């Protein structure tokens, strides 16, 4: 079945390299961007463990 919904196709997006950042999620570092900045893992589980242990 073919249907005409009378909507116009969206305009294609122009990618501007100077405003684009690549992101990589990894195992050794939580996040590395295309400029080489590395973010460590937030380690939510280890932080929560001290609140979860019985006293």
């Amino acid at each position: 079945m073919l249907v005409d919904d009378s909507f116009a196709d969206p305009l294609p997006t122009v990618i501007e390299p100077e405003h684009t950042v690549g992101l990589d999620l990894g195992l050794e570092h939580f996040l590395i961007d295309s400029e080489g900045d590395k973010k460590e893992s937030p380690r939510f589980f280890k932080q929560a463990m001290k609140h979860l242990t019985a006293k």
Side-chain angles (χ1 to χ4, degrees), residues 14-21 34-35:
V14 177
I15 298 173
E16 300 173 3
E18 62 273 0
H19 295 106
T20 304
V21 175
S34 58
E35 296 181 4

Side-chain angles (χ1 to χ4, degrees), residues 3 5-6 12 14 16 24 27 29-30 36 41-42 48 52:
V3 178
D5 59 6
S6 70
V14 177
E16 300 173 3
D24 179 32
L27 297 175
H29 295 282
F30 179 67
S41 175
L52 296 174

Side-chain angles (χ1 to χ4, degrees), residues 3-54:
V3 178
D4 182 14
D5 59 6
S6 70
F7 290 111
D9 291 338
L11 297 174
T13 303
V14 177
I15 298 173
E16 300 173 3
E18 62 273 0
H19 295 106
T20 304
V21 175
L23 300 175
D24 179 32
L25 299 174
L27 297 175
E28 291 188 27
H29 295 282
F30 179 67
L31 178 82
I32 303 173
D33 67 15
S34 58
E35 296 181 4
D37 296 327
K38 298 176 182 177
K39 303 291 180 191
E40 294 299 322
S41 175
R43 306 199 188 277
F44 296 117
F45 183 72
K46 283 189 177 182
Q47 292 174 0
M49 282 300 293
K50 62 183 168 187
H51 297 292
L52 296 174
T53 57

